[in-house]
Amino acid sequence: PKASVLFAGSRRFDEFPAERKEVFLAMVQTVARSGAAVITGGAKGADSAAMKVAAEEGARLVVYEPYKGASGLTAGENLKVLTPVPEDFKLAAQIHPNWAACSYAVRRLHARTVASVRAATAVLVCPLYKGGEPVGGSAFTILAARRLGVPLLVILQDGTLIDA
């Protein structure tokens, strides 16, 4: 299979320090220029930033939506737009620490994350931190990558990139 890297992060990406954003965007650019596909969840923030760089570089882009039409994107020559399949929901339920408390909409978001992690040969996450720990969807992306055995890189609060 061809290389593909999932770029995930916070919807509050624009509020992050410049150093963190620069590391994230440089990694997207490197992957895009390598010929590997760039995968995102199609959301605002880090996903949108990754999609913009991928488009500028003419890279293959794969967007996993929680439901059809969520991103407003239409598939094209360098763009695939996909949604989760039942297996993604099953795996998300096994990975999430409190699946029963998740609304249907949140379950769709987590299944989308599992689908995108399963499609990736590597994952890079630029998470939102609270109390020194990744939170929200980024935290679930980290859990999913670890559970599914996909190589994982995380950008820490200070902009350091670590193999997680």
Side-chain angles (χ1 to χ4, degrees):
K2 293 184 179 183
S4 56
V5 180
L6 168 61
F7 289 92
S10 173
R11 292 175 62 94
R12 294 176 49 192
F13 180 77
D14 293 340
E15 301 170 23
F16 286 1
E19 302 81 32
R20 288 187 77 206
K21 291 190 283 192
E22 288 168 11
V23 170
F24 182 83
L25 297 173
M27 292 297 292
V28 176
Q29 187 175 52
T30 298
V31 167
R33 288 180 177 174
S34 77
V38 171
I39 302 173
T40 79
K44 294 178 183 175
D47 290 3
S48 294
M51 290 188 300
K52 182 176 186 254
V53 171
E56 289 169 355
E57 296 295 333
R60 293 179 296 122
L61 179 61
V62 180
V63 176
Y64 278 89
E65 302 176 311
Y67 57 89
K68 191 172 176 65
S71 68
L73 298 172
T74 304
E77 185 178 338
N78 281 340
L79 172 64
K80 281 187 181 177
V81 182
L82 304 167
T83 55
V85 296
E87 178 70 12
D88 300 318
F89 285 88
K90 181 179 176 184
L91 287 168
Q94 293 170 4
I95 296 167
H96 196 280
N98 193 8
W99 186 253
C102 296
S103 68
Y104 179 71
V106 170
R107 287 179 180 193
R108 291 199 71 81
L109 291 170
H110 291 318
R112 179 253 343 244
T113 297
V114 167
S116 59
V117 169
R118 289 176 63 206
T121 55
V123 175
L124 184 133
V125 182
C126 188
L128 176 65
Y129 287 91
K130 197 177 227 179
E133 294 295 321
V135 295
S138 298
F140 184 74
T141 303
I142 293 168
L143 283 175
R146 287 179 176 156
R147 176 74 180 267
L148 297 172
V150 179
L152 172 66
L153 297 170
V154 176
I155 301 174
L156 301 177
Q157 289 174 294
D158 65 1
T160 302
L161 183 65
I162 65 162
D163 183 352

